[in-house]
Amino acid sequence: MTVRVRFAPSPTGMFHVGGARSALQNWIFARQQGGVFVLRVEDTDAARNRPEWTEGILSALDWIGIARGSYEGPYFQSSYAAEHRAAAQRLHEGGRAYYCDCTREAVQARTGSQYAGYDGFCRDRGLPAGEGRALRFRTPDTGETVVVDLIRGEPTFENRLIEDFVIARGDGSPVFLLANVVDDMTMGITHVIRAEEHLPNTPKQQLLWDALGVKPPVWAHVPVVVNEKRQKLSKRRDKVALEAYRDEGYLADAMRNYLMLLGWAPSGDREIVPWSVIEDEFRLEEVNPSPAFFDEKKLRAFNGDYIRALPVDEFVAACRPWLTGTDTIAPPPWQPEEFDEAAFAAVAPLAQTRIAVLSEIVPNVDFLFLASPSIEEAAWAKAMKEGAAELLDATVAAYEGLASWDAESLKATLEAVGAERGLKLGKAQAPVRVAVTGRTVGLPLFESLEVLGRERTLARLRAARLRLP
Ligand code: GLU
């Protein structure tokens, strides 16, 4: 039997990192088993049926290495409405489901509680289908439903505690729970690897598989992803959109490696390993069932490691979207014609060791391309203390006469200018850096000045001097 797994996102307008994690786990499992990965977009909610949202899912998957064309699908749940209805009808005809006209209020009045669940009032009334009548599944009164779960063992549910749940609404439309099962059946899915949030639905879904006469899949409920307060990552509270990480300049390789570390680790105390090692070593059964902490700080550090490991030319290429802007990344503050390829290439290796996400490239190099970079007020106040005017005057004078405009000479010269005033190099650098780059921190100063060139450096030093009393 060929293993067939599926990733079945509901379009929401963004791609949740927890979903990306599940997609990767499905992807690897399918490859390890020589199986097939199916993409199904669960778009039955009409409000979620937007082509651009589907496009967002495809491009997010593509970004983390699940390339378009290398899987089956995308299928769309909305195209299978006839199958969903036929299954509901089959369950009714076989006596496994019945129509119910109870209102919520009536059920509450009978049970005396809003939490009691459905009391089975219509079970044996034999109501025919009709407007406003929901179709309920008749759950067994005895026995147990054992879910075989690769990560959680065999969670067991007592059937008598499972209420007769609704499978089609009063208007005849099947609910998600049933549609999801019918699609998995139609698509021949053998293993359902999905988020833990769905575990409470699983006994109900397995009962539907049984009632429809098909062997249920093997399940694997992967752990919920939580923030540092152990709260489930939510889009209102946390940064959860994969696209947000991509646009901030996380590398796809770092991101997918990190996602695979949520609840699992490769052998030998290693975290940064080639993707091929993860593909070989990952075992679904080894995934820790406890909630997995999505540690943004660690991911950031991780990404910095990946950036540093890139060959310089790949780093330069990877920076490109932030140097030009794209449809989702804001353009940099300079005009396209101000950008200088050679100057960028000269400082790129310096930036590569210092940034953790690629978007940080812009504030590190903007001083090279902007005619006059704006100076942060706080930076100015911090750097332009007493003596700054004299220091700038002396630096300008010394730099004007410099025989060779290179980092080493620039450094030695400023060192000497500072020493005459009893200043260590670090202190002497501060006003120069702020005058030239507008910031108190940045790339190594003298290499930066070398690339910026004599004329522009001197012009900025003079302009800053003029602002001082
Ligand atoms: N569409 C569901 C979701 O996005 C997935 C359900 C499933 O994987 O079975 O949560």
Side-chain angles (χ1 to χ4, degrees):
M1 181 191 61
T2 308
V3 162
R4 290 174 62 83
V5 301
R6 75 339 183 243
F7 176 57
S10 306
T12 59
M14 59 102 197
F15 198 84
H16 195 289
V17 287
R21 178 272 324 252
S22 311
L24 288 169
Q25 291 177 334
N26 270 288
W27 177 252
I28 294 180
F29 184 77
R31 289 174 85 92
Q32 289 178 340
Q33 306 288 322
V36 176
F37 176 100
V38 175
L39 175 63
R40 178 173 77 236
V41 179
E42 302 210 307
D43 62 343
T44 31
D45 184 348
R48 296 183 163 186
N49 214 340
R50 296 208 211 158
E52 68 271 25
W53 286 5
T54 296
E55 176 49 34
I57 292 171
L58 301 188
S59 80
L61 286 174
D62 203 73
W63 184 63
I64 48 165
I66 300 178
R68 289 169 210 259
S70 62
Y71 49 80
E72 199 177 299
Y75 297 121
F76 294 89
Q77 188 156 68
S78 55
S79 325
Y80 292 85
E83 283 79 357
H84 305 154
R85 283 178 189 267
Q89 202 178 342
R90 205 138 58 83
L91 290 167
H92 181 239
E93 283 164 4
R96 303 305 304 268
Y98 59 88
Y99 284 101
C100 163
D101 62 1
C102 298
T103 60
R104 186 170 301 162
E105 293 72 26
V107 178
Q108 273 180 32
R110 285 197 300 270
T111 59
S113 156
Q114 54 175 315
Y115 305 109
Y118 187 61
D119 60 353
F121 183 77
C122 292
R123 264 193 159 195
D124 301 311
R125 288 176 71 205
L127 289 177
E131 183 56 34
R133 290 183 180 163
L135 187 60
R136 286 187 182 273
F137 184 72
R138 187 190 298 272
T139 61
D141 297 324
T142 56
E144 300 179 321
T145 295
V146 180
V147 168
V148 176
D149 188 302
L150 290 178
I151 297 174
R152 283 157 211 280
E154 298 193 345
T156 300
F157 302 83
E158 272 191 74
N159 292 335
R160 66 180 180 85
L161 298 178
I162 305 174
E163 67 169 343
D164 286 354
F165 55 92
V166 170
I167 55 175
R169 302 179 190 89
D171 63 3
S173 61
V175 301
F176 171 73
L177 206 68
L178 177 65
N180 181 261
V181 165
V182 172
D183 289 348
D184 283 343
M185 247 173 228
T186 310
M187 294 167 196
I189 300 305
T190 59
H191 293 72
V192 170
I193 304 163
R194 62 179 178 183
E196 183 184 353
E197 292 92 302
H198 295 288
L199 185 59
N201 284 332
T202 308
K204 295 179 184 172
Q205 293 196 308
Q206 189 161 302
L207 288 170
L208 291 174
W209 282 84
D210 291 339
L212 289 165
V214 186
K215 183 173 170 278
V218 173
W219 311 88
H221 287 91
V222 302
V224 62
V225 182
V226 296
N227 65 17
E228 71 283 357
K229 295 190 188 127
R230 315 298 288 169
Q231 298 161 317
K232 186 175 154 190
L233 278 199
S234 98
K235 73 174 174 190
R236 263 162 291 112
R237 200 169 38 215
D238 308 293
K239 189 161 81 188
V240 298
L242 191 69
E243 298 90 333
Y245 289 93
R246 180 191 62 200
D247 293 348
E248 206 180 321
Y250 284 83
L251 297 174
D253 274 349
M255 195 73 203
R256 65 180 181 165
N257 190 338
Y258 182 72
L259 289 171
M260 289 304 294
L261 294 180
L262 296 171
W264 177 81
S267 62
D269 229 4
R270 297 173 299 171
E271 292 197 314
I272 297 187
V273 291
W275 183 248
S276 57
V277 169
I278 295 183
E279 281 194 331
D280 280 352
E281 290 193 1
F282 176 70
R283 294 288 173 271
L284 203 45
E285 313 81 82
E286 288 173 6
V287 171
N288 185 333
S290 330
F293 174 31
F294 188 87
D295 185 346
E296 219 182 302
K297 285 201 193 85
K298 179 167 169 183
L299 170 60
R300 226 182 115 77
F302 212 73
N303 197 60
D305 288 340
Y306 269 84
I307 287 179
R308 283 185 285 285
L310 289 176
V312 179
D313 56 337
E314 280 181 34
F315 171 71
V316 168
C319 288
R320 190 71 52 200
W322 289 268
L323 302 176
T324 56
T326 67
D327 51 350
T328 55
I329 296 170
W334 58 80
Q335 296 303 311
E337 62 278 9
E338 291 178 309
F339 183 71
D340 176 346
E341 196 71 54
F344 181 69
V347 296
L350 304 173
Q352 187 176 2
T353 59
R354 286 171 172 77
I355 64 177
V357 291
L358 293 171
S359 56
E360 287 171 357
I361 193 67
V362 173
N364 272 286
V365 301
D366 59 357
F367 73 95
L368 283 173
F369 310 124
L370 291 169
S372 46
S374 59
I375 297 182
E376 290 169 3
E377 228 166 90
W380 181 269
K382 199 166 157 198
M384 301 301 177
K385 300 256 167 66
E386 224 191 295
E390 294 71 25
L391 182 103
L392 288 177
D393 279 336
T395 307
V396 168
Y399 279 0
E400 274 171 343
L402 204 61
S404 162
W405 190 262
D406 60 80
E408 217 173 294
S409 317
L410 288 159
K411 181 180 175 196
T413 306
L414 188 61
E415 216 161 16
V417 169
E420 283 164 24
R421 286 161 183 74
L423 294 175
K424 290 232 171 67
L425 183 61
K427 282 259 185 292
Q429 274 194 65
V432 174
R433 181 187 287 284
V434 169
V436 172
T437 70
R439 297 194 170 84
T440 51
V441 287
L443 302 184
L445 180 63
F446 303 105
E447 282 85 348
S448 299
L449 301 185
E450 179 180 328
V451 176
L452 186 64
R454 188 191 305 255
E455 220 172 285
R456 285 194 291 170
T457 301
L458 289 174
R460 289 181 198 179
L461 292 175
R462 290 191 192 107
R465 168 64 190 91
L466 281 176
R467 280 180 59 186
L468 289 168

